[in-house]
Short mmCIF file of all heavy atoms in Angstrom, two decimals:
data_model
loop_
_atom_site.label_atom_id
_atom_site.label_comp_id
_atom_site.label_asym_id
_atom_site.label_seq_id
_atom_site.Cartn_x
_atom_site.Cartn_y
_atom_site.Cartn_z
N ASP O 1 -11.46 -65.96 -30.40
CA ASP O 1 -10.39 -66.60 -29.77
C ASP O 1 -10.60 -68.09 -29.68
O ASP O 1 -11.67 -68.62 -30.17
CB ASP O 1 -10.06 -66.01 -28.43
CG ASP O 1 -11.16 -66.20 -27.31
OD1 ASP O 1 -12.01 -67.06 -27.62
OD2 ASP O 1 -11.10 -65.47 -26.31
N VAL O 2 -9.66 -68.93 -29.13
CA VAL O 2 -9.81 -70.37 -29.17
C VAL O 2 -10.92 -70.76 -28.17
O VAL O 2 -11.21 -71.94 -28.32
CB VAL O 2 -8.43 -71.04 -28.67
CG1 VAL O 2 -7.37 -70.76 -29.74
CG2 VAL O 2 -7.94 -70.50 -27.30
N LYS O 3 -11.43 -69.94 -27.39
CA LYS O 3 -12.51 -70.24 -26.46
C LYS O 3 -13.85 -70.03 -27.17
O LYS O 3 -14.98 -70.29 -26.58
CB LYS O 3 -12.40 -69.57 -25.14
CG LYS O 3 -11.26 -69.92 -24.26
CD LYS O 3 -11.20 -69.27 -22.93
CE LYS O 3 -10.02 -69.63 -22.09
NZ LYS O 3 -10.04 -68.94 -20.78
N GLY O 4 -13.80 -69.47 -28.31
CA GLY O 4 -15.11 -69.12 -29.10
C GLY O 4 -15.66 -67.89 -28.79
O GLY O 4 -16.72 -67.49 -29.18
N GLN O 5 -14.91 -66.94 -28.04
CA GLN O 5 -15.33 -65.61 -27.74
C GLN O 5 -15.12 -64.58 -28.87
O GLN O 5 -14.00 -64.64 -29.45
CB GLN O 5 -14.62 -65.08 -26.47
CG GLN O 5 -14.80 -65.92 -25.27
CD GLN O 5 -16.25 -65.93 -24.85
OE1 GLN O 5 -16.90 -64.91 -24.76
NE2 GLN O 5 -16.81 -67.15 -24.36
N LEU O 6 -16.06 -63.92 -29.28
CA LEU O 6 -15.95 -62.85 -30.26
C LEU O 6 -15.06 -61.74 -29.77
O LEU O 6 -15.36 -61.13 -28.73
CB LEU O 6 -17.29 -62.32 -30.70
CG LEU O 6 -17.36 -61.22 -31.78
CD1 LEU O 6 -16.82 -61.80 -33.14
CD2 LEU O 6 -18.72 -60.67 -32.00
N VAL O 7 -13.95 -61.48 -30.45
CA VAL O 7 -13.02 -60.48 -30.00
C VAL O 7 -12.76 -59.35 -31.11
O VAL O 7 -12.04 -58.42 -30.79
CB VAL O 7 -11.63 -61.07 -29.68
CG1 VAL O 7 -11.76 -62.04 -28.45
CG2 VAL O 7 -11.05 -61.91 -30.74
N GLY O 8 -13.54 -59.37 -32.16
CA GLY O 8 -13.36 -58.33 -33.11
C GLY O 8 -14.34 -58.50 -34.22
O GLY O 8 -14.79 -59.61 -34.64
N HIS O 9 -14.84 -57.35 -34.73
CA HIS O 9 -15.80 -57.34 -35.91
C HIS O 9 -15.32 -56.29 -36.89
O HIS O 9 -15.15 -55.11 -36.49
CB HIS O 9 -17.22 -57.16 -35.45
CG HIS O 9 -18.17 -57.18 -36.51
ND1 HIS O 9 -18.81 -58.38 -37.00
CD2 HIS O 9 -18.71 -56.21 -37.39
CE1 HIS O 9 -19.58 -57.98 -38.06
NE2 HIS O 9 -19.57 -56.75 -38.32
N PHE O 10 -15.24 -56.64 -38.20
CA PHE O 10 -14.67 -55.75 -39.20
C PHE O 10 -15.59 -55.76 -40.51
O PHE O 10 -15.95 -56.85 -40.82
CB PHE O 10 -13.27 -55.99 -39.49
CG PHE O 10 -12.31 -56.04 -38.25
CD1 PHE O 10 -12.20 -57.38 -37.59
CD2 PHE O 10 -11.69 -54.95 -37.81
CE1 PHE O 10 -11.40 -57.36 -36.53
CE2 PHE O 10 -10.94 -55.07 -36.68
CZ PHE O 10 -10.77 -56.24 -35.95
N GLU O 11 -15.77 -54.66 -41.09
CA GLU O 11 -16.52 -54.55 -42.33
C GLU O 11 -15.53 -54.24 -43.48
O GLU O 11 -14.68 -53.32 -43.34
CB GLU O 11 -17.65 -53.59 -42.32
CG GLU O 11 -18.63 -53.78 -41.31
CD GLU O 11 -19.59 -54.91 -41.69
OE1 GLU O 11 -19.61 -55.25 -42.87
OE2 GLU O 11 -20.31 -55.51 -40.82
N SER O 12 -15.75 -54.82 -44.69
CA SER O 12 -14.81 -54.53 -45.80
C SER O 12 -15.19 -53.15 -46.36
O SER O 12 -16.30 -52.57 -46.19
CB SER O 12 -14.99 -55.56 -46.88
OG SER O 12 -16.30 -55.56 -47.46
N ASN O 13 -14.21 -52.63 -47.06
CA ASN O 13 -14.40 -51.26 -47.65
C ASN O 13 -14.59 -51.53 -49.18
O ASN O 13 -13.66 -51.85 -49.93
CB ASN O 13 -13.14 -50.44 -47.45
CG ASN O 13 -13.18 -49.05 -48.04
OD1 ASN O 13 -14.35 -48.61 -48.42
ND2 ASN O 13 -12.18 -48.32 -48.14
N GLN O 14 -15.80 -51.32 -49.65
CA GLN O 14 -16.15 -51.45 -51.12
C GLN O 14 -15.83 -52.90 -51.61
O GLN O 14 -15.49 -53.09 -52.76
CB GLN O 14 -15.34 -50.38 -51.92
CG GLN O 14 -15.52 -48.98 -51.58
CD GLN O 14 -17.06 -48.63 -51.76
OE1 GLN O 14 -17.70 -48.96 -52.71
NE2 GLN O 14 -17.53 -47.91 -50.76
N GLY O 15 -15.86 -53.85 -50.59
CA GLY O 15 -15.89 -55.19 -51.12
C GLY O 15 -14.60 -55.79 -51.34
O GLY O 15 -14.60 -56.95 -51.83
N LEU O 16 -13.46 -55.17 -51.20
CA LEU O 16 -12.16 -55.84 -51.57
C LEU O 16 -11.31 -56.29 -50.49
O LEU O 16 -10.63 -57.38 -50.53
CB LEU O 16 -11.31 -54.84 -52.41
CG LEU O 16 -11.94 -54.55 -53.77
CD1 LEU O 16 -11.09 -53.57 -54.51
CD2 LEU O 16 -12.22 -55.84 -54.63
N GLU O 17 -11.24 -55.55 -49.31
CA GLU O 17 -10.29 -55.97 -48.24
C GLU O 17 -10.64 -55.44 -46.89
O GLU O 17 -11.38 -54.53 -46.79
CB GLU O 17 -8.78 -55.55 -48.57
CG GLU O 17 -8.69 -54.02 -48.80
CD GLU O 17 -7.29 -53.67 -49.26
OE1 GLU O 17 -6.66 -54.48 -49.96
OE2 GLU O 17 -6.78 -52.60 -48.87
N VAL O 18 -10.14 -56.04 -45.89
CA VAL O 18 -10.28 -55.67 -44.52
C VAL O 18 -8.93 -55.75 -43.86
O VAL O 18 -8.15 -56.76 -44.05
CB VAL O 18 -11.29 -56.54 -43.75
CG1 VAL O 18 -11.07 -56.51 -42.22
CG2 VAL O 18 -12.68 -56.36 -44.15
N THR O 19 -8.57 -54.74 -43.13
CA THR O 19 -7.27 -54.78 -42.38
C THR O 19 -7.61 -54.93 -40.83
O THR O 19 -8.37 -54.13 -40.24
CB THR O 19 -6.45 -53.45 -42.55
OG1 THR O 19 -6.18 -53.33 -43.95
CG2 THR O 19 -5.25 -53.53 -41.74
N ILE O 20 -7.01 -56.01 -40.32
CA ILE O 20 -7.22 -56.24 -38.86
C ILE O 20 -5.95 -55.96 -38.11
O ILE O 20 -4.94 -56.38 -38.52
CB ILE O 20 -7.60 -57.76 -38.68
CG1 ILE O 20 -8.82 -58.12 -39.46
CG2 ILE O 20 -7.78 -58.10 -37.27
CD1 ILE O 20 -9.16 -59.62 -39.46
N ASP O 21 -6.13 -55.17 -37.06
CA ASP O 21 -4.97 -54.75 -36.26
C ASP O 21 -4.58 -55.94 -35.38
O ASP O 21 -5.33 -56.16 -34.28
CB ASP O 21 -5.38 -53.47 -35.51
CG ASP O 21 -4.12 -52.97 -34.65
OD1 ASP O 21 -3.09 -53.57 -34.66
OD2 ASP O 21 -4.36 -52.03 -33.85
N ALA O 22 -3.58 -56.67 -35.66
CA ALA O 22 -3.16 -57.79 -34.88
C ALA O 22 -2.48 -57.33 -33.65
O ALA O 22 -2.42 -58.21 -32.68
CB ALA O 22 -2.37 -58.76 -35.70
N SER O 23 -2.07 -56.19 -33.57
CA SER O 23 -1.15 -55.72 -32.45
C SER O 23 -2.01 -55.79 -31.11
O SER O 23 -1.45 -55.74 -30.01
CB SER O 23 -0.50 -54.45 -32.68
OG SER O 23 -1.49 -53.37 -32.74
N ILE O 24 -3.34 -55.66 -31.21
CA ILE O 24 -4.22 -55.56 -30.03
C ILE O 24 -4.46 -56.90 -29.35
O ILE O 24 -5.03 -56.99 -28.37
CB ILE O 24 -5.51 -54.87 -30.37
CG1 ILE O 24 -6.34 -55.70 -31.28
CG2 ILE O 24 -5.28 -53.42 -30.93
CD1 ILE O 24 -7.72 -55.17 -31.57
N TYR O 25 -4.03 -57.97 -30.10
CA TYR O 25 -4.28 -59.33 -29.58
C TYR O 25 -2.96 -59.94 -28.90
O TYR O 25 -1.87 -59.61 -29.53
CB TYR O 25 -4.77 -60.19 -30.74
CG TYR O 25 -6.12 -59.69 -31.38
CD1 TYR O 25 -6.24 -59.33 -32.58
CD2 TYR O 25 -7.34 -59.72 -30.60
CE1 TYR O 25 -7.32 -58.85 -33.17
CE2 TYR O 25 -8.48 -59.25 -31.10
CZ TYR O 25 -8.54 -58.83 -32.36
OH TYR O 25 -9.62 -58.37 -32.96
N ALA O 26 -3.18 -60.73 -27.96
CA ALA O 26 -2.14 -61.53 -27.44
C ALA O 26 -1.65 -62.57 -28.45
O ALA O 26 -2.43 -63.05 -29.29
CB ALA O 26 -2.55 -62.18 -26.14
N SER O 27 -0.43 -63.03 -28.29
CA SER O 27 0.05 -64.08 -29.18
C SER O 27 -0.75 -65.34 -29.01
O SER O 27 -1.22 -65.68 -27.92
CB SER O 27 1.55 -64.40 -28.85
OG SER O 27 2.34 -63.21 -29.02
N GLY O 28 -1.01 -66.00 -30.15
CA GLY O 28 -1.74 -67.29 -30.06
C GLY O 28 -2.50 -67.47 -31.37
O GLY O 28 -2.30 -66.85 -32.38
N VAL O 29 -3.52 -68.27 -31.34
CA VAL O 29 -4.37 -68.77 -32.45
C VAL O 29 -5.75 -68.08 -32.30
O VAL O 29 -6.35 -68.05 -31.30
CB VAL O 29 -4.41 -70.23 -32.59
CG1 VAL O 29 -5.43 -70.61 -33.71
CG2 VAL O 29 -3.08 -70.92 -32.76
N TYR O 30 -6.19 -67.54 -33.48
CA TYR O 30 -7.52 -66.93 -33.55
C TYR O 30 -8.20 -67.52 -34.78
O TYR O 30 -7.59 -68.13 -35.71
CB TYR O 30 -7.49 -65.41 -33.59
CG TYR O 30 -6.82 -64.84 -32.35
CD1 TYR O 30 -5.40 -64.68 -32.26
CD2 TYR O 30 -7.64 -64.37 -31.34
CE1 TYR O 30 -4.98 -64.14 -31.15
CE2 TYR O 30 -7.08 -63.89 -30.13
CZ TYR O 30 -5.63 -63.72 -30.09
OH TYR O 30 -5.18 -63.22 -28.94
N TYR O 31 -9.57 -67.27 -34.92
CA TYR O 31 -10.28 -67.80 -36.08
C TYR O 31 -11.04 -66.59 -36.64
O TYR O 31 -11.83 -65.93 -35.93
CB TYR O 31 -11.13 -68.96 -35.73
CG TYR O 31 -10.35 -70.21 -35.26
CD1 TYR O 31 -9.98 -70.30 -34.01
CD2 TYR O 31 -9.98 -71.07 -36.23
CE1 TYR O 31 -9.28 -71.47 -33.59
CE2 TYR O 31 -9.21 -72.19 -35.90
CZ TYR O 31 -8.76 -72.35 -34.65
OH TYR O 31 -8.04 -73.50 -34.28
N ALA O 32 -10.89 -66.39 -37.93
CA ALA O 32 -11.65 -65.38 -38.60
C ALA O 32 -12.73 -65.92 -39.40
O ALA O 32 -12.61 -66.74 -40.28
CB ALA O 32 -10.73 -64.52 -39.52
N LYS O 33 -13.95 -65.63 -39.08
CA LYS O 33 -15.12 -66.04 -39.84
C LYS O 33 -15.51 -64.92 -40.85
O LYS O 33 -15.85 -63.84 -40.50
CB LYS O 33 -16.33 -66.30 -38.97
CG LYS O 33 -17.56 -66.78 -39.72
CD LYS O 33 -18.84 -67.02 -38.76
CE LYS O 33 -20.05 -67.65 -39.61
NZ LYS O 33 -21.13 -67.80 -38.69
N VAL O 34 -15.25 -65.25 -42.16
CA VAL O 34 -15.46 -64.30 -43.17
C VAL O 34 -16.71 -64.60 -43.92
O VAL O 34 -16.92 -65.75 -44.39
CB VAL O 34 -14.24 -64.31 -44.19
CG1 VAL O 34 -14.33 -63.20 -45.21
CG2 VAL O 34 -12.91 -64.32 -43.39
N THR O 35 -17.68 -63.61 -43.96
CA THR O 35 -18.97 -63.82 -44.48
C THR O 35 -19.25 -62.82 -45.60
O THR O 35 -19.02 -61.71 -45.51
CB THR O 35 -20.03 -63.75 -43.40
OG1 THR O 35 -19.84 -64.54 -42.31
CG2 THR O 35 -21.48 -64.00 -43.88
N SER O 36 -19.75 -63.40 -46.75
CA SER O 36 -20.16 -62.55 -47.88
C SER O 36 -21.58 -63.08 -48.26
O SER O 36 -22.11 -64.01 -47.64
CB SER O 36 -19.26 -62.60 -49.03
OG SER O 36 -19.30 -63.85 -49.67
N ALA O 37 -22.12 -62.50 -49.35
CA ALA O 37 -23.49 -62.95 -49.86
C ALA O 37 -23.48 -64.36 -50.32
O ALA O 37 -24.42 -65.03 -50.44
CB ALA O 37 -23.88 -61.90 -50.95
N THR O 38 -22.21 -64.84 -50.64
CA THR O 38 -22.20 -66.22 -51.25
C THR O 38 -21.96 -67.35 -50.16
O THR O 38 -21.82 -68.39 -50.59
CB THR O 38 -21.10 -66.30 -52.33
OG1 THR O 38 -19.85 -66.02 -51.71
CG2 THR O 38 -21.46 -65.42 -53.45
N GLY O 39 -21.73 -66.90 -48.87
CA GLY O 39 -21.38 -67.90 -47.91
C GLY O 39 -20.34 -67.38 -46.97
O GLY O 39 -19.99 -66.19 -46.86
N SER O 40 -19.78 -68.36 -46.13
CA SER O 40 -18.82 -68.01 -45.19
C SER O 40 -17.71 -68.97 -45.11
O SER O 40 -17.89 -70.12 -45.52
CB SER O 40 -19.36 -67.78 -43.84
OG SER O 40 -19.85 -69.02 -43.34
N GLU O 41 -16.50 -68.59 -44.66
CA GLU O 41 -15.39 -69.39 -44.48
C GLU O 41 -14.75 -68.99 -43.16
O GLU O 41 -14.92 -67.91 -42.70
CB GLU O 41 -14.29 -69.28 -45.60
CG GLU O 41 -14.82 -69.78 -46.97
CD GLU O 41 -13.62 -69.72 -47.97
OE1 GLU O 41 -12.47 -69.75 -47.52
OE2 GLU O 41 -13.91 -69.68 -49.16
N THR O 42 -14.03 -70.06 -42.53
CA THR O 42 -13.39 -69.81 -41.23
C THR O 42 -11.90 -70.03 -41.56
O THR O 42 -11.44 -71.10 -42.10
CB THR O 42 -13.83 -70.71 -40.12
OG1 THR O 42 -15.23 -70.57 -39.98
CG2 THR O 42 -13.02 -70.47 -38.92
N ILE O 43 -11.10 -68.98 -41.18
CA ILE O 43 -9.67 -68.93 -41.58
C ILE O 43 -8.90 -68.94 -40.25
O ILE O 43 -9.23 -68.08 -39.36
CB ILE O 43 -9.24 -67.78 -42.46
CG1 ILE O 43 -10.05 -67.92 -43.69
CG2 ILE O 43 -7.77 -67.77 -42.71
CD1 ILE O 43 -9.97 -66.69 -44.67
N ARG O 44 -7.84 -69.76 -40.08
CA ARG O 44 -7.10 -69.68 -38.85
C ARG O 44 -6.01 -68.58 -38.97
O ARG O 44 -5.33 -68.45 -39.92
CB ARG O 44 -6.32 -71.07 -38.71
CG ARG O 44 -5.65 -71.34 -37.34
CD ARG O 44 -5.22 -72.76 -37.35
NE ARG O 44 -4.69 -73.24 -36.11
CZ ARG O 44 -3.49 -73.42 -35.83
NH1 ARG O 44 -2.55 -73.26 -36.84
NH2 ARG O 44 -3.06 -73.81 -34.61
N LEU O 45 -5.98 -67.82 -37.94
CA LEU O 45 -5.03 -66.64 -37.84
C LEU O 45 -4.05 -66.95 -36.79
O LEU O 45 -4.37 -67.46 -35.61
CB LEU O 45 -5.73 -65.36 -37.46
CG LEU O 45 -6.88 -64.87 -38.47
CD1 LEU O 45 -7.48 -63.65 -37.80
CD2 LEU O 45 -6.39 -64.62 -39.80
N ILE O 46 -2.76 -66.69 -36.97
CA ILE O 46 -1.72 -66.90 -36.03
C ILE O 46 -1.07 -65.60 -35.61
O ILE O 46 -0.57 -64.81 -36.52
CB ILE O 46 -0.61 -67.87 -36.55
CG1 ILE O 46 -1.31 -69.27 -36.80
CG2 ILE O 46 0.47 -68.06 -35.46
CD1 ILE O 46 -0.30 -70.26 -37.40
N LYS O 47 -1.15 -65.11 -34.30
CA LYS O 47 -0.53 -63.91 -33.83
C LYS O 47 0.75 -64.24 -33.25
O LYS O 47 0.82 -65.04 -32.28
CB LYS O 47 -1.51 -63.26 -32.88
CG LYS O 47 -0.76 -62.05 -32.15
CD LYS O 47 -0.31 -60.91 -33.03
CE LYS O 47 0.52 -59.93 -32.29
NZ LYS O 47 -0.16 -59.33 -31.12
N ARG O 48 1.88 -63.69 -33.81
CA ARG O 48 3.23 -63.95 -33.25
C ARG O 48 3.39 -63.21 -31.96
O ARG O 48 2.89 -62.14 -31.81
CB ARG O 48 4.24 -63.60 -34.29
CG ARG O 48 4.39 -64.64 -35.40
CD ARG O 48 5.41 -64.19 -36.43
NE ARG O 48 5.64 -65.29 -37.37
CZ ARG O 48 6.17 -65.03 -38.57
NH1 ARG O 48 6.46 -63.79 -38.91
NH2 ARG O 48 6.41 -66.02 -39.39
#
C-alpha cells in the first residue's frame, strides 16, 4: 500500500501470469513489486 505495508504476495503459475484479486483491497493506489530471475520492477496499481 502507499504506506509501504506488504498487503499481498503471489507466485506465478508456470512462469506466465499472476491473477491478483483486487476486490479485497480498498480503493486507492498500490504498488506491485514484480521479481524474476532477471531483476525486479515496481508497477503502480489503481483500485477503483
Side-chain angles (χ1 to χ4, degrees):
D1 63 18
V2 293
K3 295 182 179 179
Q5 301 294 317
L6 179 65
V7 294
H9 180 90
F10 307 88
E11 299 285 342
S12 66
N13 182 15
Q14 301 301 316
L16 293 180
E17 60 186 31
V18 163
T19 300
I20 301 173
D21 183 3
S23 66
I24 65 175
Y25 299 114
S27 297
V29 175
Y30 298 86
Y31 294 89
K33 182 180 180 182
V34 188
T35 304
S36 72
T38 61
S40 64
E41 293 187 21
T42 302
I43 302 173
R44 189 172 190 253
L45 305 176
I46 300 176
K47 168 61 188 302
R48 285 176 170 159

